[in-house]
C-alpha cells in the first residue's frame, strides 16, 4: 500500500543489508571470480546484460531509498573505492483490482512498506546500470487462485475468459505496457518472473509456472 509520508532515513548498513543480494555483493566486492567454462563464455558473449565470463556483477536493490542511500553515502565517498552496481533491481506488480494499481513504481512512486520504489528516480541516479525488474503476480489477498498468471498464459478457465474484455485481454494489455516501458528505458532489462525460492507455492502454482512459455527470467531487448 502506498504511503504519502517520507520514510525515515535508515542507517546505511541496515539499508544495504535489506536491499543487497548478499552473495552477489560479496563476490563483487571481494573480486572473487565466478567459474566459467567454454560454454559459459560463449553464452555470455552473445547475451546482453550478463557480465563477461569469469566476472560477477553487483546487483543492488531493491527499493529506491536504499539505492539513493548507497549512491550518496558509498559512491559519494571516493575513499571507499566501492563499485557502482552493474544493475539495480526494483519491483512492480501486475495484479488487476488491487492497490496499488498494476505497474506501480513504473507509473509513479509507491511504498509497499519497505521503502519507496520509484523507477524514474533510480534510473536517473544510475544512468549506466542495467535494470532487473521483479514482477509481483501473486493474488494471495484474494484467494491464491493464480488468476493473474492463468490469464497471462491464456488458460481457458471460466473466470479468466468471462466478460468483454476478458481478463486474458486485460492482463496482456498490461504486459504490453510493461514491455514498452522497459524498452523505453534504453538499457538492458532483466525481467524476473517466477517462484520465490524461499516461498515455493503448492499446486497448482508450480504447474502454472511450468506451463508458462519461456524461462523464468527474460531479457527485454532495447
Amino acid at each position: 500500500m502506498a504511503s504519502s509520508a517520507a520514510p525515515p532515513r535508515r542507517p546505511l548498513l541496515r539499508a544495504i543489508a535489506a536491499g543487497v543480494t548478499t552473495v552477489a555483493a560479496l563476490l563483487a566486492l571481494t573480486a572473487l571470480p565466478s567459474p566459467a567454462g567454454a560454454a559459459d563464455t560463449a553464452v555470455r558473449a552473445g547475451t546482453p546484460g550478463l557480465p563477461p565470463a569469469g566476472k560477477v556483477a553487483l546487483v543492488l536493490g531493491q527499493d529506491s531509498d536504499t539505492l539513493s542511500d548507497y549512491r550518496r553515502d558509498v559512491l559519494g565517498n571516493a575513499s571507499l573505492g566501492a563499485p557502482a552496481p552493474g544493475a539495480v533491481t526494483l519491483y512492480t506488480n501486475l495484479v488487476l483490482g488491487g492497490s496499488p494499481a498494476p505497474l506501480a513504481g513504473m507509473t509513479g512512486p509507491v511504498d509497499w512498506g519497505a521503502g519507496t520504489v520509484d523507477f524514474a528516480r533510480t534510473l536517473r541516479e544510475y544512468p549506466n546500470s542495467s535494470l532487473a525488474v521483479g514482477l509481483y503476480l501473486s493474488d494471495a489477498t484474494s484467494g491464491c487462485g493464480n488468476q493473474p498468471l492463468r490469464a497471462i498464459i491464456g488458460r481457458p478457465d471460466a473466470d479468466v475468459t468471462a466478460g468483454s474484455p476478458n481478463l486474458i485481454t486485460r492482463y496482456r494489455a498490461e504486459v504490453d505496457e510493461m514491455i514498452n516501458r522497459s524498452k523505453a528505458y534504453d538499457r538492458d532489462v532483466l525481467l524476473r518472473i517466477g517462484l520465490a525460492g524461499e516461498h515455493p507455492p503448492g499446486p497448482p502454482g508450480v504447474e502454472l509456472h511450468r506451463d508458462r512459455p519461456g524461462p523464468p527470467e527474460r531479457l527485454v531487448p532495447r
Side-chain angles (χ1 to χ4, degrees), residues 5 34 56-57 69 78 86-87 96 98-99 114 135 142 152 164 168 171 173 189-190 201:
S34 63
V56 177
D69 289 349
L96 293 171
S99 178
L135 181 59
S142 57
I152 290 170
S164 180
I168 294 175
Y171 268 104
V189 177
L190 185 68

Side-chain angles (χ1 to χ4, degrees), residues 123 178-187 189 220-222:
L123 296 182
M178 178 183 63
I179 291 173
N180 287 332
R181 285 179 177 273
S182 297
K183 289 181 176 180
Y185 294 144
D186 193 28
R187 67 185 73 204
V189 177
V220 178
R222 296 187 185 197

Side-chain angles (χ1 to χ4, degrees), residues 80-178:
L80 296 176
V88 291
T89 185
L90 296 169
Y91 274 77
T92 190
N93 70 317
L94 200 59
V95 181
L96 293 171
S99 178
L103 304 183
M106 283 186 164
T107 56
V110 66
D111 188 344
W112 279 281
T116 306
V117 176
D118 184 346
F119 279 62
R121 187 224 302 184
T122 296
L123 296 182
R124 184 171 62 248
E125 292 180 349
Y126 291 89
N128 299 318
S129 296
S130 299
L131 171 65
V133 179
L135 181 59
Y136 183 80
L137 282 173
S138 174
D139 57 352
T141 59
S142 57
C144 291
N146 290 290
Q147 191 178 70
L149 183 56
R150 289 187 289 112
I152 290 170
I153 67 178
R155 284 275 292 262
D157 301 330
D159 62 325
V160 299
T161 57
S164 180
N166 61 31
L167 288 179
I168 294 175
T169 299
R170 293 172 62 195
Y171 268 104
R172 289 188 173 178
E174 296 292 347
V175 171
D176 287 346
E177 181 179 352
M178 178 183 63

